[in-house]
Amino acid sequence: MVDVSKYRNMLLARQKELNARLHEIEEELESHSSKDWEELAVEREEDEVLEGLGASGQDELVKIEAALARVDEGEFGFCVTCGTEIQSERLDVVPHTPFCRDCAATHA
Protein backbone atom coordinates (compact mmCIF):
# COMPACT_ATOMS: atom_id res chain seq x y z
CA MET A 1 0.00 0.00 0.00
CA VAL A 2 1.25 3.47 -0.94
CA ASP A 3 2.10 5.92 1.87
CA VAL A 4 -0.19 8.70 0.66
CA SER A 5 0.89 11.21 3.32
CA LYS A 6 4.53 10.88 2.22
CA TYR A 7 3.64 11.68 -1.38
CA ARG A 8 1.20 14.42 -0.39
CA ASN A 9 4.05 16.15 1.46
CA MET A 10 6.38 15.67 -1.52
CA LEU A 11 3.76 17.13 -3.87
CA LEU A 12 3.08 20.12 -1.61
CA ALA A 13 6.80 20.84 -1.24
CA ARG A 14 7.33 20.69 -5.01
CA GLN A 15 4.26 22.87 -5.57
CA LYS A 16 5.66 25.50 -3.20
CA GLU A 17 9.07 25.33 -4.91
CA LEU A 18 7.55 25.72 -8.38
CA ASN A 19 5.34 28.62 -7.32
CA ALA A 20 8.38 30.44 -5.93
CA ARG A 21 10.38 29.78 -9.10
CA LEU A 22 7.53 30.93 -11.35
CA HIS A 23 7.23 34.11 -9.30
CA GLU A 24 10.97 34.75 -9.76
CA ILE A 25 10.67 34.14 -13.51
CA GLU A 26 7.76 36.55 -13.74
CA GLU A 27 9.69 39.23 -11.87
CA GLU A 28 12.72 38.74 -14.11
CA LEU A 29 10.61 39.02 -17.26
CA GLU A 30 9.05 42.25 -16.03
CA SER A 31 12.35 43.82 -14.94
CA HIS A 32 13.87 44.53 -18.37
CA SER A 33 14.23 48.20 -19.12
CA SER A 34 17.29 48.45 -21.33
CA LYS A 35 17.18 51.00 -24.15
CA ASP A 36 20.24 49.61 -25.93
CA TRP A 37 19.32 47.41 -28.93
CA GLU A 38 22.09 44.89 -28.32
CA GLU A 39 21.16 44.52 -24.67
CA LEU A 40 17.49 44.21 -25.60
CA ALA A 41 18.36 41.41 -28.04
CA VAL A 42 20.26 39.52 -25.35
CA GLU A 43 17.45 40.08 -22.86
CA ARG A 44 14.92 38.78 -25.38
CA GLU A 45 16.93 35.60 -25.87
CA GLU A 46 17.06 35.14 -22.11
CA ASP A 47 13.33 35.81 -21.94
CA GLU A 48 12.68 32.93 -24.35
CA VAL A 49 14.57 30.59 -22.07
CA LEU A 50 12.73 31.90 -19.01
CA GLU A 51 9.38 31.58 -20.77
CA GLY A 52 10.20 27.96 -21.62
CA LEU A 53 11.08 27.26 -18.00
CA GLY A 54 7.89 28.97 -16.91
CA ALA A 55 5.75 26.90 -19.27
CA SER A 56 7.41 23.72 -18.08
CA GLY A 57 6.84 24.71 -14.46
CA GLN A 58 3.21 25.56 -15.12
CA ASP A 59 2.70 22.18 -16.80
CA GLU A 60 4.18 20.41 -13.78
CA LEU A 61 1.98 22.45 -11.43
CA VAL A 62 -1.12 21.30 -13.31
CA LYS A 63 0.02 17.68 -12.89
CA ILE A 64 0.73 18.23 -9.18
CA GLU A 65 -2.70 19.76 -8.64
CA ALA A 66 -4.29 16.77 -10.38
CA ALA A 67 -2.29 14.41 -8.17
CA LEU A 68 -3.38 16.31 -5.04
CA ALA A 69 -6.99 16.01 -6.22
CA ARG A 70 -6.47 12.24 -6.54
CA VAL A 71 -5.12 12.24 -2.97
CA ASP A 72 -8.26 14.04 -1.76
CA GLU A 73 -10.47 11.61 -3.69
CA GLY A 74 -8.66 8.56 -2.32
CA GLU A 75 -7.49 7.55 -5.79
CA PHE A 76 -3.81 8.48 -5.49
CA GLY A 77 -1.32 5.73 -6.23
CA PHE A 78 -3.56 3.94 -8.70
CA CYS A 79 -3.22 4.18 -12.45
CA VAL A 80 -5.96 6.34 -13.97
CA THR A 81 -5.99 4.11 -17.05
CA CYS A 82 -5.93 0.53 -15.80
CA GLY A 83 -6.50 0.96 -12.05
CA THR A 84 -3.46 -1.03 -10.92
CA GLU A 85 -1.37 0.26 -8.04
CA ILE A 86 1.56 2.41 -9.13
CA GLN A 87 4.85 1.14 -7.72
CA SER A 88 6.31 3.28 -4.94
CA GLU A 89 9.65 3.34 -6.79
CA ARG A 90 7.92 5.12 -9.67
CA LEU A 91 6.12 7.54 -7.33
CA ASP A 92 9.41 8.32 -5.58
CA VAL A 93 10.76 9.62 -8.89
CA VAL A 94 7.58 11.16 -10.35
CA PRO A 95 5.08 11.58 -7.49
CA HIS A 96 2.54 13.34 -9.71
CA THR A 97 2.34 10.53 -12.27
CA PRO A 98 -1.19 9.32 -13.02
CA PHE A 99 0.05 6.18 -14.81
CA CYS A 100 1.64 2.88 -13.94
CA ARG A 101 4.82 2.02 -15.84
CA ASP A 102 3.02 0.02 -18.53
CA CYS A 103 0.34 2.63 -19.23
CA ALA A 104 2.89 5.46 -19.17
CA ALA A 105 4.73 3.73 -22.02
CA THR A 106 1.58 3.85 -24.15
CA HIS A 107 0.88 7.51 -23.27
CA ALA A 108 4.39 8.76 -24.03
Side-chain angles (χ1 to χ4, degrees):
M1 188 74 169
V2 172
D3 181 1
V4 175
S5 64
K6 168 188 168 182
Y7 295 108
R8 178 181 188 66
N9 290 336
M10 287 174 68
L11 290 164
L12 290 171
R14 181 66 177 153
Q15 182 182 46
K16 182 178 178 180
E17 178 184 325
L18 284 170
N19 280 325
R21 183 170 19 144
L22 290 173
H23 181 69
E24 290 171 5
I25 288 171
E26 186 176 314
E27 285 180 351
E28 178 66 24
L29 289 171
E30 292 175 356
S31 71
H32 300 309
S33 60
S34 178
K35 302 279 187 218
D36 180 52
W37 285 102
E38 287 181 28
E39 287 181 27
L40 281 172
V42 170
E43 288 176 355
R44 185 60 200 140
E45 287 177 11
E46 292 172 354
D47 287 353
E48 290 176 11
V49 172
L50 289 173
E51 288 168 353
L53 290 171
S56 174
Q58 296 235 348
D59 182 54
E60 188 176 350
L61 272 176
V62 168
K63 292 175 182 176
I64 288 171
E65 290 167 6
L68 289 170
R70 290 192 302 278
V71 167
D72 292 341
E73 295 165 2
E75 297 173 2
F76 181 83
F78 296 94
C79 180
V80 297
T81 301
C82 70
T84 61
E85 188 171 345
I86 301 171
Q87 295 178 329
S88 59
E89 293 82 8
R90 179 165 171 73
L91 291 170
D92 287 342
V93 176
V94 188
H96 58 269
T97 186
F99 305 114
C100 67
R101 184 186 66 213
D102 295 335
C103 291
T106 63
H107 285 90

